[in-house]
Structures are given as structure tokens and as C-alpha cells.
Amino acid sequence: MTDKIINVAIIGGGAEAIPIIRTLVTLPTFKLLGVADENKDAPALGVARELGINTGLSFSELASHKDLNLVIELSGSGYFAKTLEKIVPSGVKVMDEVSARIMFELAKERERLLKVETAYKLTRRYSELIEESNRKLDDKILELSLLNETSKTFSSAFDQSNIGGFIFTLLKKKINFSVLALLLAQDDKLNLILSSDREIPQEAKEEIRLRMTDRYSKYTKKPIDTDKVSLIERGALGQAKETEPIEPAIRILHTVSLVTLDKPLGMVGLAFCKDYTITSDDERFFNIISSQLALFMENDRVKQNITNERNKLEAILDSMSGAVLVVDEEENITLVNPISEILLGIRKEEVLGKNLHDVIGQNEIKAVFDSFGKQKTEFFTKEIESTNPKDSIKRAIRANLARVHDYVGNIVGTVLILDDITKAKEIDRMKTEFISITSHELRTPLATIKNCITLIFKESAGPINENQRKFLDIARRNIDRLAALINNLLDLSKIESGKMELERISTDLNKIAQEVIDTFDPLAKDRNILLKLELQEGLPQIQIDRSKI
């Protein structure tokens, strides 16, 4: 049953009518038909107009309204109150000034109570908002703390074998799960690390292994033999396991793939043995930790590759027979190998990071660096003599210099390779001496043979026929040829020392060719070989050293 609507008219627009007007418009059982006052600027009329209440009727019109049930008389005039009783319809109640003032006080009190109630509701809502904000703030602070802990741990020399226990301990502070499952792909192997603060039943382990393997196989689109997935169990980091095992049934397994640069590295999963609703905050935090884990694993792999390559490079440098010295663009030493310590008389720990001119005692090496710095070539080679200040041994050294560039082509330093060529120089000297001595030793008997043939050729020992003369002439020319070969051995030393000189004269090529035929013709006839010479007449003479042909 609905309450009857009471239609009210207010006579008088003074300030005391304002709270009554505001109260009446909030009450569902009252309907304010209008407010009347002779003073059109009365304050209550302005409020009434703002609220959409009729203020255009006169006293008599409003008082005689056909739907009127109650008149509140607030004019403050006793004469008008008596007149009002005569003009209102029968059955309409008139609230006199006293009653009106009582209603006015009640209305003010109600308005005050409403304000108090509103303030209380606002205060309560504010407290709820503060509490919710504090809860969210605490949650964010926890997340930031855990993420900071993760970053510090992953950026340090962290033992990867403890990764499962660390991630479990970290996530457990925010998400109430039972087991962390970490499936890692390493080369051609798959390792499944299970971490929990309680014992894991064997059937739970097998269920997690089957489900993790199946999901990773679907993700990579490659078949995986579950039996070949190695199972490794790790406890929570820094905690002893509770004696009571977890429930054997896995109700929820929430997984995220570990991927960097579209390269799958594995999968991480949270196993729940009880019903649990994963919130969007839980999932977001889990995804962030998973991303950091993937980056850590990839960085660890890259770091290991860099370490391996560095070890290889150091092994190569250590095994080189020459000294290797690398300086940066400011000529500060950044790398030396063991031979450098022997050849230059330095100690690695004393020169690294220091300027080459301050720690290298040999001025010849400094001069080579300075010469290379003034050139625009990429490579430079020079032979120098240098004395080790520690053993005072003078060595012949071949210095090879090359510029070092970064990945964009900028020059970032210089590499110097010093080869000790002292022994090679000594061997060259000995070779030269051997050739010189041998050549002189051969010349003496050869000169004697040549003189004897010359005497026979001149018939000093008796007459010879033409056939004999011909063979003697061939022998004499080949003696000259042998002498030329001996001279060539000496010339080799001259060439190496840069002292070779040529005596060029005009020579007929046809004559040289005929002499070659005459030399080899007897040998050819003994083997039934016919040598044929076709000469072209009129060829121009050429400038050559006849003794070198």
C-alpha cells in the first residue's frame, strides 16, 4: 500500500522557509505546490525557482488550489493568518506560525542530521578508500621489493642450479601455490626442476612432468619423449621442508613459456593442489618474473659463450710465439700476452691500464707507435733492434701494427705484434756466409779447368781437329755458365741485401738461342732427339745482363 501524497503550499518567502523547502523536496510523501510572497525578491523564492518549484501564484491562488492539503503560513503577520483561514478550502489544514516554527526547527535539525550522516558516510567511504589504497600500496611495495630482489640476484654471480628454489621462495610471498615447475631446454636435453617447501608425492611429480612436457611440446610443435625429461627436485631457498607432503592431486597448473627473441628456452608453471583463483595482479606479476627469468637465462647463455670465446682468445694469445700488445685510442695498454713480458721486460699487472709511453722502456717501440700514428694506413711493418732492459739482450724485432675498429668502423685502438727475428737474421747471415765461401771455393778449380781448356783450344798442347774444337768450345761455354751460376748464388745474397747491380748490354736473341742449341745438342743426339731451331732474322737487340741469362 502506497502512502498518500500530501500537497503543500508555503506562504511567506523569508529565509526561515528555505530549510523547510529543502526538506519537503526530499520527502517522497510530500509535494510542494508552490511558494508565495508579495516580495518577489524574497530569498526563499529564489531557492524555490532553482529547485523548479512554482513561485508565480498569488496568496489567494495558491491557498485555493484544488489539490491543496496543507498550508504552511510563514508570513509572520497575525492578521494575514486569520485572513488565510477564511480563503483556504475546507479540509485543508493550516499550520500556524508556532507550528511552522517548530517544523522549521525540526527541518533544520533534520538537515543537520543529514549532513552529519553524509559526513559519516563520506568519512567511512574515505576510510575504506584509504584502507584499499594502503592494501594496494603494500601490494605494490611487495611486488617492487620482489622484483628488485630478482634483478639483484639475476645480475650477480647467481648459481643457476638454485634457480628453482629462488623463484619458488620469491613467488610464494605473493601467490599461494604448492609447487614451482621449471622446464629448461639445454642443448638437446630437457630438465624439469620441481621446487616446494613440502614433500612432493611421486604421483604429483609424474602428473606435473606429463602436463608440462605436453604443453611445451604443443608450444614448440615438436614431439617430446617424457621419459627423457630429467626430473630434478629442489627445496625452497634457505628453508627446511615441512614433513607433511602436499596433496597428490594437481587441481590447477598455470604455465608461461620462457621466450627471448622468439627463441623458446623452456616453460615455468605454478601447480595448485587446492582451488585457487588467479587474479589479474597475480598473473601480471607471474608474467613479469617469468620474463626476467627468460632474460636471465639468455644473458647467462650469452655470458657463457663470451667467456668461452674469451678463454679461446686468451689461449691463442698465450700460445703465440710473438708478443701481442693492444692499446686503446689514448694509447693505454688494454691487453698483453706472456711473450710480451719476456720480450719487453714488463709485468702484465703493472702495465695494464697505463699509458704505453710510461711503462715501455724501449724507445724504438715508442717511435714505431708514433710513426704509425702519423700515417693513415691500416697496417704498418718495420724491422727494429731493441734491447730488453732486464736481461740487456739486443734483439732484432719485426713490428707489425694494425688499427682496431669497433662494430661501426670507428678506430678504438691499435694492436702491435712483435716477432723476435734475431735467430732468423742470424740464419740469413750464416747462409750468406756459406754461399760466399762455397762460391769462392768453387771458383778456384773452375778457373783452373777453364784455363786448361783454353790452352788446348789454342793448340798449346798440340794440334786439334774441328770436331774437337767444337766440343771444347761447348765445354768452355758451359764452364762460363757454371761460373755464372756461382755468381748467381752470390747475387742472391746481394738481392736480399739490396746491393744487386745489373750490367745491361745490347744482345742478339738469335745468338743466345743458338748457344743453347749448341749446348744441349750432344745430349740430344745421344738420346736420338733432334733439336730444331727456327730463327727470325732482323729481330731488334734487347738490353739485358748477358751474364744473368
Side-chain angles (χ1 to χ4, degrees), residues 301-319 326 333-337 348 352:
R301 184 189 66 81
V302 172
K303 188 188 301 183
Q304 188 62 43
N305 289 341
I306 292 174
T307 301
N308 293 338
E309 291 300 321
R310 184 179 182 86
N311 292 339
K312 289 180 182 177
L313 177 61
E314 289 180 351
I316 292 172
L317 290 175
D318 291 348
S319 62
V326 180
I333 298 175
T334 59
L335 187 147
V336 295
N337 70 339
K348 180 178 180 179
L352 284 179

Side-chain angles (χ1 to χ4, degrees), residues 97-193:
E97 183 177 355
V98 176
S99 299
R101 290 191 181 281
I102 293 172
M103 179 172 282
F104 169 66
E105 293 299 329
L106 291 173
K108 286 199 300 181
E109 180 64 18
R110 184 180 185 278
E111 192 170 88
R112 187 186 69 80
L113 291 174
L114 284 174
K115 289 181 179 178
V116 171
E117 182 182 7
T118 302
Y120 172 74
K121 290 180 178 178
L122 289 175
T123 302
R124 185 175 179 182
R125 178 58 181 159
Y126 180 72
S127 299
E128 292 174 353
L129 291 174
I130 291 294
E131 185 179 350
E132 178 68 16
S133 297
N134 287 336
R135 187 190 65 77
K136 290 184 177 180
L137 181 60
D138 291 341
D139 204 37
K140 293 298 180 185
I141 291 174
L142 175 61
E143 283 188 13
L144 289 174
S145 174
L146 296 177
L147 290 174
N148 183 54
E149 183 181 352
T150 305
S151 297
K152 285 184 177 180
T153 302
F154 285 169
S155 60
S156 63
F158 182 68
D159 186 0
Q160 191 171 342
S161 63
N162 294 326
I163 190 69
F166 171 74
I167 296 297
F168 173 86
T169 305
L170 190 79
L171 290 173
K172 189 70 174 180
K173 295 177 181 179
K174 183 170 175 60
I175 306 173
N176 188 22
F177 63 99
S178 301
V179 181
L180 174 82
L182 186 57
L183 185 65
L184 299 179
Q186 297 176 337
D187 299 327
D188 295 330
K189 299 179 181 178
L190 279 175
N191 294 325
L192 178 61
I193 302 173

Side-chain angles (χ1 to χ4, degrees), residues 270-281:
L270 299 180
F272 298 85
C273 295
K274 296 181 180 179
D275 290 335
Y276 182 86
T277 301
I278 300 175
T279 66
S280 57
D281 281 346

Side-chain angles (χ1 to χ4, degrees), residues 402-469:
R403 305 194 191 279
V404 180
H405 299 266
D406 61 13
Y407 68 97
V408 293
N410 297 323
I411 297 175
V412 294
T414 303
V415 58
L416 167 67
I417 300 177
L418 301 174
D419 292 318
D420 186 354
I421 58 173
T422 305
K423 290 185 178 180
K425 285 282 187 180
E426 180 64 18
I427 291 172
D428 284 344
R429 185 190 64 78
M430 293 172 63
K431 180 186 68 176
T432 301
E433 289 182 357
F434 171 76
I435 292 173
S436 178
I437 293 172
T438 302
S439 299
H440 284 89
E441 290 295 327
L442 289 174
R443 276 180 172 180
T444 301
L446 197 62
T448 302
I449 295 171
K450 182 177 180 181
N451 289 333
C452 291
I453 290 176
T454 302
L455 290 174
I456 295 173
F457 193 80
K458 291 181 178 180
E459 297 182 352
S460 299
I464 58 175
N465 57 37
E466 287 300 320
N467 197 33
Q468 292 172 334
R469 184 181 297 276

